[in-house]
Amino acid sequence: MAVLVLIISALIWPALCDDTYTIDVLMPEVTVTQADQYFCTSVKLAAKDGFVVEFKPVVSMDRVHHMILYGCSRPGSRSQTWDCGSGSAPCSAGTKIMFAWARDAPALVLPKDVGFAVGPSSDIDYLVLNLHYGRPLDIDSSGVQLVLTPQPLPYHGGIYLMMTGNIYIPPRSESVKVDISCLYNDKEPITMFAYRTHSHTLGRVIAGYRLRDGNYTELGRASPQWPQAFYSLPKPVELRSGDVVMARCTYDSDRDSAVQVGSTSRDEMCNLYLMFYAPAGDSYRQCFDNELPDKTSHMPAESLAVPPRPILPTKPVPTIPGQLPKTSEDDFDSGERERNHRPLTLVLAKGFAGDVNLGQVAGLAVDQSGALWAIHRADRVWGGSTFDENNVFVDARDGPITTPVLVRLDKDGHVVRSIGAGVFYLPHGLFIDGQNRVWTTDVALHQVIQLDMDGKVIRKIGEELKPGTDENHFCKPADVAVLPDGRIVVADGYCNSRIVVFSPDGKFIKQIGSAGTGNGQFQLPHALAYAGDRIYVADRLNGRIQSVDIEAGRVTGVIPVSQCVSEVFAVAASKDGRIFVACPKVGFVMDVNGTILANFEGMNSAHDLAVTRDMLFVAEIGPNRILKFLLDAPIETHSVVATNATEAPIHDNSMWTSLMIMLLLTIPVVVIVVGAIVVRLRKGKRPRLDLGQFLSRDRTGFEKLQQESDSEVEEYTVTPPSKA
């Protein structure tokens, strides 16, 4: 019996000791009066030591440009909140960066036995949250939730920040390199296990290297236009005294003026965050400027190349009382659920919306509650004689469609709301923004029209019934999308083959692309999808998808859809990298490289798509109907960034759940051990228990950090130090 007690104790003791706890570092319902405001707030820690093992952002890029969490021995102000942009600094003493976030980067779970030390032994007595806001907000409580353990951990986490204040990017230039380098001369080695890049809109790629004995070892390489998360290294890299650590930021600029370092989206930055662990020591180090230019001049050529983009599965965002929800068009469930890239099965659900009298179904969208909306044309049909040779709608004298053409459907396809009577002549595109405002295009009116959920027209862009090619006119606009900051993106498709960007108040900003077949050109941009930091365009007659960087004003990627055979009508996208594409009779689910993950069939003339967490909807024109596909793919809530990484454990404070699981798992062990004891007794041998067999740990290497699941303004403004 004593033997059994020892065995069970050895097995369930870790569960009994799992006493993790959380600390919420949130803005105390601040009011943001203008864009580019910086706020800081501090949390005083209890007088006890702890280790942060997980960072859970409670924030959206729709509200916040970037977030930095500092550990301080003394905050920059004793006020509850303060201006830490032009006013006091985040910390007045003992500044240490612990975590950084931007572009909807996911939660971060550290490797086993690694944690950021806080409390008296670490000189971190305060946590300071620094938020850079992207737009005015009535109330905001964004921030981060920390998971901590009071148990001492053998390895302390830290940040090595590489940065520079010497940036000059000439006008209309490509492959401009900015280098950073330092000699590492600390006595104690540190081990790098993750990295994070940051620049603004001109950054193409940021790479880091260790130089030792003439050999370059990569410390990370990524596009700063991706979600700005901490990505796992394929394997940890040690940094010891005598090593050279270096980084390179590469920029492409299409601007007419030079760009230098600064804190706004029109300036640039060059930051590489390296996350490390060590048995003890300083948890924050930095390297400033290019101290060893003779070393960086021989940096590997791949430092200029963008690597394949890693996949970032997500974990549910923690729910904080009073926290405002995250909203974006691509993220219908408030950022709480996304799939990984396991194989998909799409099952057609028969009979959806079968009793609804629909005309040509032109567009689909999903509102912030997850409900499907459709826009159709009632009894009006777009035919060969609908427009004259000048693209003028010939039946304008008939007036608008008199019946409601915007319908909201429940999960079974029944109409629960109808709006939009007397507004539209020939509707086409449909989009619902984060504030549940309805945006449409009308190819006959040559306009973009904004409505509220009651059908009241809020705004029109373009001149009614007047086609054109200038900044104030459209010609049969096909689709519209609205970015989180309010900018309006229009696929001015049928005549002009261009993408047009407007300010939130409807003023022209820029045109992207022109008619043609080359990269960056379009032949009928027919549909738009917004995901993360990109607009995806269904380039219909060119049979492809093009991704557009709205900030840079250029196409950044092309995904051919050769399997389509004919035209590409529709596109939908998710921030985890899935691209949904519809041709008339077949559709595909792809990754950003064009690899097909699944297909779906059963359509005759697909025209638009909308996707939720577990459903895909297809609009058809002839027959006029909506198809619903069920997405049969489990959601991975915990995963590792690198595809070859081992999964790290989740720090769960549910002690009794762990205890029950461990007790169940001990049953077969107990049976085996008892059987072995009985056999030994029958053979006349004395039973012996070696607890080392149960408690020994073989540490051959660290499990990688776990990422669960990216504005454009400066995260860490630096000022060049004065020369002594």
Side-chain angles (χ1 to χ4, degrees):
M1 181 59 69
V3 171
L4 295 179
V5 170
L6 286 172
I7 294 171
I8 294 173
S9 297
L11 289 170
I12 70 173
W13 183 251
L16 293 171
C17 292
D18 187 6
D19 49 0
T20 57
Y21 59 98
T22 61
I23 295 177
D24 299 335
V25 189
L26 307 172
M27 280 295 161
E29 296 189 346
V30 297
T31 298
V32 183
T33 59
Q34 62 186 20
D36 291 336
Q37 269 190 289
Y38 287 77
F39 278 104
C40 281
T41 189
S42 66
V43 172
K44 182 172 176 56
L45 295 168
K48 64 177 183 179
D49 290 331
F51 286 85
V52 180
V53 295
E54 185 173 357
F55 300 87
K56 299 179 178 181
V58 189
V59 61
S60 165
M61 68 178 289
D62 178 48
R63 310 172 70 83
V64 175
H65 274 307
H66 77 261
M67 170 175 67
I68 299 178
L69 181 70
Y70 295 87
C72 309
S73 57
R74 189 167 64 249
S77 173
R78 295 294 182 181
S79 301
Q80 185 180 28
T81 62
W82 67 93
D83 176 359
C84 51
S86 57
S88 301
C91 303
S92 60
T95 305
K96 298 178 180 180
I97 293 179
M98 298 177 63
F99 180 69
W101 170 98
R103 291 182 169 273
D104 283 345
L108 171 68
V109 180
L110 298 181
K112 186 177 181 181
D113 288 344
V114 177
F116 279 76
V118 297
S121 299
S122 69
D123 295 327
I124 293 180
D125 301 315
Y126 292 85
L127 299 172
V128 174
L129 179 71
N130 175 357
L131 295 184
H132 179 179
Y133 285 96
R135 60 183 176 91
L137 298 168
D138 292 335
I139 297 176
D140 185 71
S141 301
S142 298
V144 61
Q145 184 183 78
L146 310 181
V147 179
L148 300 93
T149 177
Q151 304 301 324
L153 295 178
Y155 295 91
H156 294 204
I159 296 290
Y160 191 127
L161 176 60
M162 306 190 72
M163 55 187 175
T164 182
N166 295 325
I167 298 175
Y168 179 81
I169 305 171
R172 300 285 175 178
S173 55
E174 293 184 356
S175 299
V176 178
K177 300 185 290 291
V178 174
D179 292 343
I180 308 168
S181 62
C182 289
L183 180 68
Y184 185 79
N185 52 20
D186 288 12
K187 293 182 179 180
E188 298 298 327
I190 59 177
T191 302
M192 309 295 185
F193 65 92
Y195 64 97
R196 177 180 181 273
T197 64
H198 174 71
S199 77
H200 297 169
T201 58
L202 302 184
R204 179 209 302 170
V205 61
I206 299 177
Y209 295 91
R210 181 198 69 184
L211 177 61
R212 176 188 290 178
D213 300 328
N215 297 315
Y216 290 84
T217 301
E218 191 171 277
L219 297 175
R221 182 161 51 101
S223 168
Q225 308 309 322
W226 297 345
Q228 293 184 6
F230 281 96
Y231 295 90
S232 291
L233 289 171
K235 61 180 181 179
V237 178
E238 181 195 53
L239 199 63
R240 65 178 184 228
S241 182
D243 289 341
V244 176
V245 59
M246 59 185 67
R248 169 170 288 168
C249 298
T250 304
Y251 305 91
D252 299 319
S253 177
D254 59 356
R255 299 182 190 171
D256 294 326
S257 58
V259 178
Q260 301 185 59
V261 69
S263 63
T264 76
S265 60
R266 299 296 297 175
D267 303 315
E268 267 303 337
M269 294 297 299
C270 177
N271 295 155
L272 177 63
Y273 295 78
L274 297 170
M275 191 172 282
F276 66 85
Y277 60 75
D282 190 0
S283 63
Y284 180 66
R285 295 168 168 85
Q286 67 181 33
C287 173
F288 190 93
D289 282 338
N290 192 12
E291 297 179 0
L292 303 164
D294 58 319
K295 306 295 184 184
T296 56
S297 62
H298 300 290
M299 207 177 298
E302 68 261 20
S303 64
L304 303 177
V306 179
R309 178 170 173 168
I311 302 303
L312 286 176
T314 65
K315 176 181 179 178
V317 174
T319 301
I320 306 297
Q323 173 62 29
L324 295 174
K326 162 187 173 180
T327 57
S328 76
E329 165 69 8
D330 178 61
D331 196 352
F332 306 123
D333 294 312
S334 299
E336 295 186 359
R337 297 172 293 186
E338 284 189 27
R339 292 170 195 77
N340 67 0
H341 281 217
R342 294 177 61 180
L344 267 177
T345 301
L346 292 90
V347 180
L348 179 62
K350 296 183 179 180
F352 181 77
D355 60 348
V356 181
N357 185 20
L358 297 170
Q360 292 181 331
V361 186
L364 300 174
V366 179
D367 67 22
Q368 297 305 304
S369 71
L372 178 70
W373 287 74
I375 192 164
H376 66 101
R377 298 172 183 155
D379 59 356
R380 191 162 291 180
V381 176
W382 186 353
S385 59
T386 301
F387 294 88
D388 67 16
E389 66 277 8
N390 296 315
N391 296 304
V392 175
F393 183 57
V394 299
D395 294 324
R397 62 185 180 278
D398 293 341
I401 301 171
T402 57
T403 57
V405 295
L406 264 168
V407 295
R408 183 187 183 192
L409 305 170
D410 64 17
K411 61 183 180 63
D412 298 315
H414 302 304
V415 175
V416 295
R417 178 181 292 185
S418 298
I419 61 174
V423 176
F424 301 97
Y425 282 62
L426 205 63
H428 197 279
L430 179 62
F431 183 91
I432 299 177
D433 66 18
Q435 306 301 318
N436 269 341
R437 293 169 298 203
V438 180
W439 296 79
T440 66
T441 64
D442 191 302
V443 291
L445 288 170
H446 306 286
Q447 287 183 312
V448 172
I449 304 172
Q450 180 191 8
L451 307 91
D452 63 20
M453 284 288 178
D454 295 321
K456 179 182 178 182
V457 175
I458 301 172
R459 174 190 313 176
K460 294 183 178 181
I461 305 176
E463 186 176 356
E464 184 173 305
L465 297 169
K466 299 287 186 181
T469 60
D470 59 21
E471 299 177 359
N472 301 312
H473 292 84
F474 303 114
C475 187
K476 301 179 186 173
D479 204 5
V480 59
V482 180
L483 304 185
D485 62 8
R487 283 176 297 171
I488 305 156
V489 183
V490 181
D492 191 13
Y494 281 89
C495 317
N496 294 329
S497 288
R498 62 179 180 174
I499 304 298
V500 192
V501 185
F502 296 87
S503 67
D505 58 358
K507 295 180 180 178
F508 175 87
I509 297 177
K510 69 178 76 172
Q511 171 182 319
I512 302 171
S514 59
T517 60
N519 292 345
Q521 294 183 310
F522 304 99
Q523 287 200 93
L524 208 175
H526 191 260
L528 303 175
Y530 172 70
D533 60 347
R534 290 290 184 273
I535 287 285
Y536 291 92
V537 183
D539 189 3
R540 177 172 156 179
L541 299 182
N542 283 329
R544 63 190 180 185
I545 303 297
Q546 298 201 64
S547 64
V548 178
D549 184 328
I550 298 300
E551 291 288 347
R554 64 174 184 261
V555 169
T556 57
V558 178
I559 306 174
V561 192
S562 57
Q563 302 84 355
C564 195
V565 180
S566 60
E567 304 169 14
V568 175
F569 274 76
V571 62
S574 61
K575 278 178 294 195
D576 67 349
R578 296 179 189 271
I579 310 297
F580 297 79
V581 179
C583 317
K585 297 182 181 299
V586 65
F588 303 96
V589 186
M590 300 178 166
D591 65 17
V592 294
N593 297 313
T595 301
I596 295 179
L597 307 174
N599 58 22
F600 50 98
E601 299 177 345
M603 303 93 71
N604 288 313
S605 54
H607 193 259
D608 199 18
L609 296 173
V611 64
T612 69
R613 181 180 68 90
D614 51 10
M615 288 176 285
L616 173 70
F617 298 96
V618 183
E620 285 203 278
I621 292 179
N624 302 328
R625 61 180 180 174
I626 303 171
L627 301 181
K628 180 174 78 172
F629 291 85
L630 304 178
L631 305 183
D632 180 21
I635 301 167
E636 291 292 326
T637 56
H638 307 299
S639 186
V640 183
V641 171
T643 56
N644 60 346
T646 23
E647 187 171 353
I650 300 300
H651 298 267
D652 187 0
N653 57 5
S654 178
M655 180 185 72
W656 295 110
T657 301
S658 301
L659 178 59
M660 291 302 296
I661 294 172
M662 294 305 299
L663 284 172
L664 290 172
L665 291 174
T666 61
I667 293 174
V669 178
V670 171
V671 171
I672 293 171
V673 173
V674 171
I677 293 172
V678 171
V679 171
R680 293 183 69 88
L681 287 172
R682 287 182 176 179
K683 291 182 178 182
K685 297 181 180 180
R686 184 175 179 177
R688 182 183 67 176
L689 173 68
D690 183 1
L691 283 179
Q693 295 177 358
F694 295 98
L695 302 179
S696 65
R697 305 177 67 183
D698 178 20
R699 188 177 192 87
T700 58
F702 275 94
E703 294 174 325
K704 306 233 179 3
L705 92 164
Q706 188 180 94
Q707 288 277 2
E708 306 151 56
S709 178
D710 152 301
S711 224
E712 282 302 13
V713 248
E714 186 275 337
E715 293 204 6
Y716 197 74
T717 304
V718 294
T719 303
S722 57
K723 302 294 183 181

